[in-house]
């Protein structure tokens, strides 16, 4: 009997009709059963008369399947395979863990440290390979990206392949379509696509990139729709959008390193109604047998994240100052993990969202982390070839990635960090990890009931005190570590601390203090 590793891919291939419109006329699906567990997966047309079905088993044991199709030769086909132990390093899809955090399907913790390169897969092969090489050496384990090409600032080149059948009908210059516009521009005279026919060659290339990301431990946060467009993809009728959505789920749901992001800046897709977004969400929930994580990303208007289909909050800042401080509030409001997926970009372009310093990017990562959330990086440094990481991938040249790697090591050592319930100190954000308890402590303001844990961290952000009086439990001793988040140093202080404790500090911005139970 065929053996498939847990979190591997079981695939069936059939020869079927290639005439007519196989994307619209032919149906193919299968029911996979393990004991009393039943999953359904859709098949897809891969061109040349070939149809495929894919399924990722997450339970070891013997699975059986039966196909269903409107083509007799593909209908009622039965078989079985044995799901064996996962291969070393294979942990499965990422799931929500303990309400505010994430873990792989096998329980291994996952701490998202994301980056953004929206259109990296639609670039020349050399750039794509450079992006993968860069990611393999970078601290990022999640990347926000889209299968659909993007038309925007520093992002106006023609893709090598299109997701639908068709293409350019006349010579055009990208600048003719106002690449600085915030809204889509349908260049219907310059391009002609058949929105009833997908392009299997495009998706074969795209899924190769997903597999390569998986090999280096990077999750693909898949942006399904976006408004930055000159080809007409943002203005597809709902039927075409559903066809695209079902097809991409059928092809990619068997890859463990997939997250679904329904849209980037959903509220700029003016032609979409809430009812349509909810219909798309129903398709995701009903058609994905692997039940990957699902979100939707805002520009100005925030989607109702209490919707049951949304597994986590994907947030863009709505102003330039207070967005990271909202992390704990967003956790409390939505009772879901919070990813601040767009906090502006380290770079030097002329857009306000694309010219913060490396120091500011690092500060924002720390601000979000100590409040119990997760953060996403991006880079927009001007280059003569206009290969900006945020748009096309390639190389990272900023100063923040090394410091983000430093933070990632601290988080992975501490474990899941939660924002303290009620401030331990009125002016400091505190993150608590490990076993937590409420303790009566004596402070300069009297006895107070406060939350403590076995491993705590506070971050001074832009403040630069020369010392700080901390009020720790009288009966719990801590080792204290002063962390310089920019210089990437950790200084262990001599002795152990409890009760009222004065800690001398460097008197510079970007300092954190960690308290670890002795």
């Amino acid at each position: 009997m065929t053996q498939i590793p847990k979190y591997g891919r079981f695939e069936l291939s059939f020869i079927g009709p290639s005439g007519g419109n196989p994307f619209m006329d032919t149906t193919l699906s299968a029911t996979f059963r393990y004991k009393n567990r039943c999953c359904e997966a859709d098949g897809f047309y891969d061109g040349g008369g070939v149809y495929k079905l894919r399924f990722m088993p997450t339970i070891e044991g013997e699975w059986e399947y039966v196909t269903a199709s409107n083509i007799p030769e593909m209908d009622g086909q039965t078989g079985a395979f044995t799901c064996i132990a996962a291969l070393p390093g294979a942990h499965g899809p990422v799931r929500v863990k303990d309400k505010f955090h994430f873990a792989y399907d096998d329980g291994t913790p996952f701490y998202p440290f994301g980056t953004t390169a929206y259109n990296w897969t639609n670039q020349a092969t050399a750039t794509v390979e450079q992006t993968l090489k860069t990611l393999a050496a970078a601290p990022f384990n999640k990347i926000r990206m889209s299968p659909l090409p993007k038309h925007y600032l520093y992002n106006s080149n023609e893709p090598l392949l299109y997701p639908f059948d068709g293409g350019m009908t006349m010579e055009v210059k990208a600048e003719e379509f106002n690449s600085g516009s915030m809204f889509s521009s349908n260049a219907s005279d310059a391009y002609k696509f058949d929105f009833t026919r997908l392009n299997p060659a495009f998706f074969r290339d795209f899924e190769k990139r997903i597999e390569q990301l998986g090999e280096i431990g990077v999750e693909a946060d898949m942006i399904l729709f976006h408004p930055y467009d000159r080809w007409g993809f943002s203005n597809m009728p709902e039927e075409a959008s559903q066809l695209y959505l079902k097809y991409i789920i059928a092809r990619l749901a068997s890859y463990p390193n997939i997250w679904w992001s329904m849209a980037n800046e959903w509220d700029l897709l003016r032609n979409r109604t809430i009812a349509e977004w909810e219909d798309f969400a129903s398709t995701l929930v009903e058609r994905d047998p692997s039940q990957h994580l699902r979100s939707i990303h805002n520009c100005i208007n925030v989607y109702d994240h209490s919707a049951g289909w949304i597994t986590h909050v994907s947030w863009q800042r709505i102003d330039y100052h207070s967005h990271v401080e909202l992390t704990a509030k967003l956790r409390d409001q939505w009772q879901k993990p919070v990813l601040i997926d767009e906090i502006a970009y380290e770079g030097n372009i002329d857009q306000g969202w694309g010219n913060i310093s490396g120091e500011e990017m690092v500060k924002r990562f720390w601000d979000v982390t100590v409040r119990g959330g997760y953060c996403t990086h991006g880079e927009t440094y001007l280059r003569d070839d206009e290969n900006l990481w945020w748009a096309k991938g390639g190389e990272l040249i900023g100063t923040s990635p090394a410091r983000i790697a430093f933070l990632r090591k601290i988080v992975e050592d501490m474990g899941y960090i939660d924002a303290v319930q009620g401030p331990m100190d009125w002016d400091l954000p505190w993150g608590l990890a490990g076993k937590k308890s409420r303790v009566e402590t004596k402070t300069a303001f009297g006895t107070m009931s406060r939350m403590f844990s076995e491993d705590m961290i506070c971050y001074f952000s832009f403040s630069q005190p020369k010392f700080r009086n901390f009020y720790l439990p009288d009966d719990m001793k801590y080792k204290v570590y002063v962390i310089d988040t920019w210089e990437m140093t950790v200084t262990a202080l001599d002795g152990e601390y409890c009760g009222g404790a004065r800690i001398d500090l460097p008197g510079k911005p970007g300092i954190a203090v960690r308290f670890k139970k002795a």
Side-chain angles (χ1 to χ4, degrees), residues 440-443 445-449:
E440 296 286 332
T441 58
K442 297 177 181 178
T443 76
F445 309 101
T447 301
M448 300 179 65
S449 176

Side-chain angles (χ1 to χ4, degrees), residues 375-387:
C375 205
T376 299
H377 157 277
E379 185 176 292
T380 49
Y381 281 106
L382 284 169
R383 294 169 55 104
D384 291 340
D385 61 6
E386 294 196 352
N387 274 2

Side-chain angles (χ1 to χ4, degrees), residues 14 54 56 90 100-101 110 137 157 168 170 242 260 327 335 419 435 468 477-478:
F14 301 92
R54 293 171 173 172
M56 177 181 61
F100 297 118
H101 303 289
F110 179 80
N157 56 301
M168 188 181 295
M170 55 186 287
Q242 285 281 6
W260 303 122
T327 303
Q335 293 294 295
K435 184 178 178 181
R468 180 67 179 232
K477 293 183 178 181
Y478 288 91

Side-chain angles (χ1 to χ4, degrees), residues 408-428:
R408 178 176 170 178
K409 289 180 181 178
I410 292 172
V411 170
E412 289 175 343
D413 184 61
M414 291 186 67
Y416 298 125
I417 295 175
D418 290 298
V420 66
Q421 296 177 354
M424 294 174 65
D425 292 273
W426 67 272
D427 60 341
L428 277 182

